[in-house]
Amino acid sequence: FYPDRTASRILGMGDVISLVEKAAAEVSDADAAKMQKKMMDASFDFDDFLKQTSLVSKMGSLAGVAKMIPGMAGALSNSKMNEVEKRMKK
């Protein structure tokens, strides 16, 4: 339990540290470097996008991940986030 992180989320300031920890748990350094190279070379394709969305969904709900990004906590309603998640699962 990290009270400062929880307080940041409650105040809508996000929790970048927890977001980075979750991302690091799902993505290896080699995969991250490979994706970075593809983005820099402009060779990032739809299959790469699908892989990225799959990794994000493994980190938790889209609403939960978005709330960890500073400024996003109040930007989108839960109903809109749920609608986006349903469309992504199709």
Side-chain angles (χ1 to χ4, degrees):
F1 175 71
Y2 300 98
D4 54 332
R5 295 180 189 186
T6 304
S8 292
R9 274 189 243 148
I10 291 170
L11 295 172
M13 296 169 28
D15 184 3
V16 177
I17 296 170
S18 292
L19 180 61
V20 169
E21 287 174 350
K22 281 188 172 193
E26 293 298 328
V27 182
S28 71
D29 289 342
D31 283 342
K34 185 174 150 185
M35 285 296 146
Q36 180 182 5
K37 184 177 181 337
K38 283 187 159 201
M39 287 183 188
M40 298 300 286
D41 294 343
S43 61
F44 190 83
D45 60 13
F46 189 67
D47 289 330
D48 297 322
F49 173 75
L50 290 176
K51 184 176 179 181
Q52 291 289 315
T53 55
S54 172
L55 290 172
V56 171
S57 68
K58 288 180 185 177
M59 292 170 53
S61 70
L62 192 57
V65 173
K67 287 179 183 176
M68 290 185 205
I69 301 170
M72 289 295 293
L76 297 171
S77 67
N78 282 341
S79 62
K80 288 193 184 250
M81 294 301 283
N82 290 337
E83 182 181 323
V84 169
E85 284 183 3
K86 285 179 187 175
R87 279 196 259 156
M88 285 177 61
K89 288 181 182 177
K90 287 183 181 182

